Amino acid sequence: MSYPTTTPAPAVLVLEDGSRYLGRAYGSHGQTLGEIVFATGMTGYQETLTDPSYAGQIVLMTAPHIGNTGANDEDMESSRIWVAGFVVREPARVPSNFRSQRTLDADLESGDIVGISGIDTRAITRHIRSLGAMRSGIFSGESFNLSEGEQLELVRGGASMRGRNLSDEVSTVEPYSLPAKGERIGSVAVLDLGVKTSTLNYLAERGFEVFVLPQSVTAEHVLSLNPSALFFSNGPGDPAASDAHVTLLQEVMRAGVPYFGICFGNQLLGRALGFGTYKLPFGHRGINQPVLDKATGRVEITSQNHGFAVDMPIEGISESKTGFGRVEVSHYSLNDQVVEGIRCLDIPAFSVQYHPESAAGPHDANYLFDRFRDVVVAHAAAGAGDAK
């Protein structure tokens, strides 16, 4: 394992409001553009980097030291790094962990991820919290020598996350399957909108045979598999730009198939029920987000990564505007009262805005996979009873 011995080249982070932060090149050299967001986890940087939900975003880590435990194959949540760029205060000079197989620097370089280090990440975080997530760019190598005006023009010409559909960039191209582990209770069709490896493993561990499908499949294709349930994964982009996924979900739910969605899947359930979505000022990202379960009064510390949310009242029972009956908010954020979970009262469907697979993060919400299993088993038993 080799470690850097030369002084890093200069780099600059430029925000669309004209703010500039000088630092050192980290990872690959060049230029990259994306929406800058901050993640508050003190650990789990490798899971963050390989989470497809971060596609199109330059991620700033608020923890001051990143890369301390190196990188390994086991903690990869997908086959590659998805972030558009990476911003850290101080990268580890020498990683130390018995599970480490290589340096984080090596992964960033091999993944062609342009990053920057040696800047005041606290100041940038406060700036984003005040003004909201915005377009940004990192410039190093030859791109560092561009004029300030040229760099700012490139940043302002970058794509906004609002109205952007990124599902086709992160989804699997070909369908594949995972066998159930232990006793098989049925099958689940997973629409891959940027699914994480640990999510699929947890579903298989609950006795589901898992069919992972490209985001472009039709409702007819899903129903032809005769699945016991449907699952929509996490993923990047604006839910308002995913009309086809909303239509698919509505058709499959009308066929009586139980549904569970997480993160992006929560926003799409909200839309399928007739509610709107909106962009949050700076989003929720990190592994320490407090959420209240209204049914139990229990507070869960959760792993989250989302910049959009469902627009519906957090108290009382609402009526679905698209004919799915009564609906209520099951969970909400204790930081800003954002909707964090939806439960349908007349059909077997529910979702949460956070990541119950806990990679990386706390295990408070892992029970949701058990709840999904129970819903599917109960639905199948009820169907068998009706058939008699």
Side-chain angles (χ1 to χ4, degrees):
M1 185 178 294
S2 60
Y3 305 107
T5 57
T6 59
T7 302
V12 63
L13 171 67
V14 181
L15 308 188
E16 69 173 289
D17 67 351
S19 301
R20 297 173 59 83
Y21 302 88
L22 290 172
R24 304 184 297 268
Y26 182 46
S28 184
H29 293 195
Q31 73 177 48
T32 188
L33 303 174
E35 179 186 59
I36 188 164
V37 299
F38 61 85
T40 58
M42 295 183 68
T43 61
Y45 54 80
Q46 191 174 357
E47 289 89 344
T48 294
L49 287 166
T50 57
D51 181 350
S53 299
Y54 282 109
Q57 295 177 320
I58 293 176
V59 176
L60 178 150
M61 303 298 294
T62 60
H65 296 109
I66 298 297
N68 295 357
T69 56
N72 60 60
D73 295 332
E74 185 178 347
D75 292 340
M76 298 279 288
E77 282 300 317
S78 64
S79 61
R80 51 166 285 192
I81 295 177
W82 286 100
V83 301
F86 202 43
V87 183
V88 303
R89 176 71 178 251
E90 290 295 338
R93 289 174 290 178
V94 179
S96 177
N97 187 271
F98 73 98
R99 298 174 66 240
S100 177
Q101 295 172 289
R102 55 192 175 271
T103 66
L104 176 58
D105 310 54
D107 273 11
L108 294 172
E109 290 177 13
S110 63
D112 198 26
I113 305 301
V114 177
I116 185 172
S117 68
I119 59 179
D120 191 344
T121 51
R122 295 173 301 176
I124 302 170
T125 300
R126 291 173 64 89
H127 191 70
I128 297 171
R129 282 186 60 90
S130 298
L131 300 180
M134 63 185 78
R135 287 172 292 187
S136 64
I138 301 173
F139 302 90
S140 60
E142 293 183 4
S143 297
F144 179 80
N145 296 320
L146 294 173
S147 70
E148 293 186 11
E150 289 174 313
Q151 291 171 345
L152 184 57
E153 184 178 359
L154 286 169
V155 168
R156 290 178 175 173
S160 171
M161 195 60 68
R162 194 186 302 274
R164 194 173 180 189
N165 188 333
L166 293 168
S167 299
D168 61 342
E169 296 184 18
V170 299
S171 180
T172 183
V173 176
E174 298 293 336
Y176 61 96
S177 63
L178 281 72
K181 298 179 181 179
E183 180 185 358
R184 182 185 186 278
I185 66 162
S187 62
V188 57
V190 175
L191 192 68
D192 179 7
L193 302 169
V195 73
K196 297 168 74 173
T197 300
S198 53
T199 297
L200 301 177
N201 291 334
Y202 279 129
L203 290 170
E205 288 172 2
R206 266 63 179 187
F208 288 106
E209 182 179 5
V210 181
F211 299 117
V212 186
L213 304 175
Q215 61 86 31
S216 57
V217 298
T218 63
E220 291 75 20
H221 183 102
V222 172
L223 293 173
S224 72
L225 299 173
N226 193 28
S228 306
L230 174 66
F231 179 91
F232 273 18
S233 77
N234 56 289
D238 185 346
S242 292
D243 291 344
H245 302 139
V246 172
T247 300
L248 183 154
L249 177 53
Q250 290 173 331
E251 292 182 20
V252 176
M253 288 197 302
R254 288 194 176 103
V257 178
Y259 171 78
F260 177 31
I262 66 170
C263 197
F264 201 55
N266 178 71
Q267 297 159 17
L268 294 180
L269 176 60
R271 285 201 60 204
L273 297 171
F275 300 97
T277 56
Y278 62 98
K279 194 174 191 308
L280 295 168
F282 48 82
H284 299 166
R285 297 174 180 88
I287 57 177
N288 52 0
Q289 304 286 331
V291 166
L292 177 69
D293 183 338
K294 290 172 58 181
T296 64
R298 182 171 178 260
V299 176
E300 302 170 11
I301 303 302
T302 66
S303 172
Q304 299 194 18
N305 169 26
H306 65 107
F308 294 85
V310 178
D311 186 8
M312 62 182 294
I314 63 174
E315 298 297 342
I317 296 176
S318 302
E319 191 73 22
S320 166
K321 302 171 186 177
T322 50
F324 290 101
R326 298 167 301 151
V327 186
E328 67 178 359
V329 170
S330 57
H331 302 72
Y332 66 87
S333 169
L334 291 177
N335 283 337
D336 53 14
Q337 286 69 59
V338 163
V339 173
E340 295 286 354
I342 300 172
R343 177 168 52 235
C344 296
L345 303 181
D346 297 318
I347 61 170
F350 72 102
S351 60
V352 292
Q353 185 58 66
Y354 44 96
H355 290 212
E357 85 291 328
S358 66
H363 293 236
D364 294 24
N366 196 257
Y367 71 92
L368 289 165
F369 291 104
D370 296 321
R371 178 180 294 179
F372 182 42
R373 181 186 189 280
D374 293 344
V375 167
V376 173
V377 170
H379 181 75
D386 293 341
K388 293 180 180 179

